[in-house]
Amino acid sequence: MFSNSLIELDRAHLVHPVASYRGHEQQGVRVLASAKGATVTDAQGRQLVDGFAGLWCVNAGYGHDSIVEAATRQMRELPYATAYFGLGSEPAIRLAAELAERAPGDLDHVYFTLGGSDAVDSTIRFIRYYWIARGQPQRDQFISIEQGYHGSSTVGAGLTALPNFHAGFGIPFEWQHKIPSPYPYRNPAGEDPQAIIAASLAALKEKVEAIGADRVAAFYAEPIQGSGGVIVPPKGWMKAMRNLCRDYGILFVADEVITGFGRTGPLFACTEDDIVPDFMTTAKGLTSGYVPMGAVFMADHVYQVIADGAGASAVGHGYTYSAHPVSAAVGLEVLKLYEGGLLENGVRAGARLMAGLESLKAHPLVGDVRGRGMLAAIELVTDKAAKTPLSADAAPARRIFDRAWNNGLIIRAFANGVLGYAPPLCCSDADIDAIIERTAKTLDQTLEDPDVRRTVRG
Ligand SMILES: Cc1ncc(COP(=O)(O)O)c(C=O)c1O
């Protein structure tokens, strides 16, 4: 009764992100009611292992009382403080300092946003401002990567390179350019890491030369392409791309909205990649999804140019909720939890997750297994030699998501038959084993579908 009325209210009033509105009206919402650790419970009382940490964000896991207490304390003392007019609050100042201390290199300055999309959007504004302040206003062209995701703001969605985010919205803009993804499983250069790196460097050079080296403002890359299908570039790829951008004098933005805060192991994937970007965007794990917050890390050399360029004038970029004290208090507590054992547990659980997924490689539907830490994917195919994707008619996103759900597992099922995994870092061995067992069951059931069975070779 309760749940049915919620379904009707949702159908009538709640517009869902990235959904077929008509499809959703038909399907109806699935209401989540509570969660603890890596387990969520729906309104019917069904328990599921959350193999995707919400939307790759609840890195700490659900139900940490210390996070709830930190937020409650801050709400009682000071629920809001603007950072406009030279005002501030202790948690936001402390969080900025703690983050700067841990960030790679000279990423010493932190601008807080509400999430990842407005973090990316803010970098575009800062970068334009930077080049104008440096007397090079013609540097107004931006390059990103096919299958990349950089959020859903009006301009940021044009850096995103997923067709769904463009169709019907009149983007990308003509100043937003793309180069091919390094995608090792399907790279025309083959799977050899050095060949993939060489191909990406050549593509970036060609693009920069075509645009005009003095026109390019910035290049955006995710250390691992998340929403494009958990595409893991070869080791050394980020560093090679970063160095090429430095050679050209192009600003390099590492979008760590997914990879930040322990998702791949360390606090920031950039440290593993041994690079210092000019900007780093983060969100999600920053507050572990308990409250909204994102953060733009800005290199000192960039900050100084913007500060000198503005002089006594205000840099006209800000949000009412920039540096929100409750979000910052949560961020500080979450950081404590990461460093108090969660990062370590994530590394251990990540190794178990990868080993478990590797063990599924012999399954007739599994073409590729990839990942780093607690960020992984398997790519389903119907012909391993030809790497033939599941037919779109098989609607793998809906079918496999629903089937996994019925088996007590939440995963990300992409439309092209890639299954994404990003469990909370708090996962126990039993949680990871449940993810693997329930995936195996889901794959076996899918293999028995007559339309899939018919197309499988080998
Ligand atoms: C790499 C990357 N950048 C930006 C975003 C946008 O973040 P948000 O959804 O918090 O606006 C995401 C979201 O998944 C992301 O994965």
Side-chain angles (χ1 to χ4, degrees):
M1 183 61 190
F2 161 77
S3 171
N4 283 346
S5 71
L6 273 187
I7 291 168
E8 287 314 315
L9 289 171
D10 172 85
R11 191 172 272 136
H13 301 296
L14 204 152
V15 179
H16 285 254
V18 193
S20 150
Y21 294 176
R22 293 289 178 233
H24 180 76
E25 287 164 12
Q26 247 183 354
Q27 173 94 9
V29 69
R30 287 180 167 122
V31 179
L32 297 174
S34 64
K36 180 82 188 162
T39 302
V40 299
T41 305
D42 74 6
Q44 276 76 44
R46 175 197 291 274
Q47 294 204 319
L48 305 104
V49 178
D50 187 355
F52 204 61
L55 196 60
W56 16 44
C57 58
V58 189
N59 293 8
Y62 300 91
H64 285 283
D65 284 337
S66 67
I67 301 177
V68 177
E69 279 154 20
T72 308
R73 219 171 19 248
Q74 189 57 46
M75 277 197 180
R76 281 218 179 85
E77 270 168 28
L78 183 68
Y80 177 80
T82 182
Y84 280 59
F85 322 133
L87 302 178
S89 71
E90 179 170 348
I93 296 165
R94 289 207 184 283
L95 182 59
E98 297 287 342
L99 293 174
E101 194 183 311
R102 288 159 178 79
D106 69 338
L107 290 167
D108 295 339
H109 306 272
V110 179
Y111 175 76
F112 287 115
T113 63
L114 283 75
S117 294
D118 52 343
V120 170
D121 207 74
S122 296
T123 62
I124 298 169
R125 282 169 65 73
F126 289 136
I127 288 166
R128 289 301 309 274
Y129 201 99
Y130 168 89
W131 285 118
I132 288 169
R134 277 195 63 181
Q136 298 183 49
Q138 83 288 353
R139 279 202 189 255
D140 57 2
Q141 305 291 302
F142 288 64
I143 305 175
S144 55
I145 305 174
E146 295 293 350
Q147 273 142 304
Y149 186 67
H150 300 289
S152 192
S153 73
T154 301
V155 290
L159 297 177
T160 288
L162 302 174
N164 240 358
F165 288 82
H166 296 170
F169 292 106
I171 51 171
F173 298 103
E174 72 286 348
W175 49 269
Q176 297 175 316
H177 310 269
K178 310 288 181 301
I179 63 167
S181 164
Y183 206 167
Y185 185 58
R186 296 187 183 277
N187 197 309
E191 293 195 38
D192 171 57
Q194 294 317 314
I196 292 170
I197 292 172
S200 288
L201 288 173
L204 182 56
K205 270 186 203 159
E206 195 183 325
K207 184 62 78 180
V208 169
E209 299 296 341
I211 296 167
D214 63 337
R215 294 290 316 277
V216 181
F219 175 70
Y220 285 68
E222 296 159 85
I224 291 174
Q225 292 190 294
S227 301
V230 191
I231 296 169
V232 188
K235 199 169 162 42
W237 182 91
M238 276 291 271
K239 191 164 180 139
M241 300 303 271
R242 200 277 169 269
N243 288 343
L244 183 61
C245 287
R246 185 181 284 119
D247 293 346
Y248 275 119
I250 294 168
L251 293 175
F252 186 94
V253 184
D255 189 346
E256 289 233 32
V257 168
I258 289 175
T259 55
F261 299 99
R263 180 56 50 213
T264 69
L267 217 44
F268 304 110
C270 279
T271 53
E272 250 178 333
D273 288 324
D274 190 26
I275 64 158
V276 181
D278 298 303
F279 285 93
M280 191 166 77
T281 46
T282 63
K284 297 190 186 276
L286 169 62
T287 48
S288 218
Y290 279 60
V291 288
M293 188 177 231
V296 176
F297 292 69
M298 188 188 291
D300 185 60
H301 69 92
V302 174
Y303 173 86
Q304 299 304 341
V305 168
I306 292 176
D308 286 343
S313 305
V315 177
H317 180 61
Y319 306 127
T320 299
Y321 298 118
S322 300
H324 196 284
V326 176
S327 299
V330 167
L332 282 168
E333 180 56 31
V334 165
L335 196 54
K336 241 190 248 169
L337 293 175
Y338 288 145
E339 294 183 337
L342 272 176
L343 290 183
E344 226 171 281
N345 194 69
V347 169
R348 218 170 38 81
R352 195 174 182 93
L353 175 71
M354 286 309 302
L357 293 176
E358 284 289 344
S359 77
L360 301 178
K361 206 155 182 189
H363 192 280
L365 287 176
V366 177
D368 190 32
V369 176
R370 52 186 183 250
R372 205 157 98 196
M374 289 287 257
L375 182 56
I378 59 179
E379 181 157 347
L380 305 187
V381 292
T382 51
D383 181 334
K384 293 195 189 209
K387 302 184 178 177
T388 312
L390 283 189
S391 143
D393 296 341
R398 182 81 267 154
R399 185 188 305 203
I400 294 172
F401 181 85
D402 287 352
R403 191 163 268 157
W405 180 280
N406 292 335
N407 289 331
L409 172 65
I410 302 175
I411 49 169
R412 175 77 173 263
F414 293 94
N416 60 352
V418 171
L419 310 185
Y421 297 81
L425 308 183
C426 67
C427 274
S428 64
D429 287 355
D431 292 328
I432 297 293
D433 294 349
I435 290 172
I436 302 301
E437 281 158 24
R438 292 170 195 187
T439 297
K441 184 172 174 192
T442 302
L443 293 179
D444 287 345
Q445 290 167 334
T446 304
L447 189 58
E448 290 313 311
D449 287 339
D451 61 327
V452 172
R453 182 87 258 176
R454 249 193 324 274
T455 56
V456 170
R457 276 173 182 269

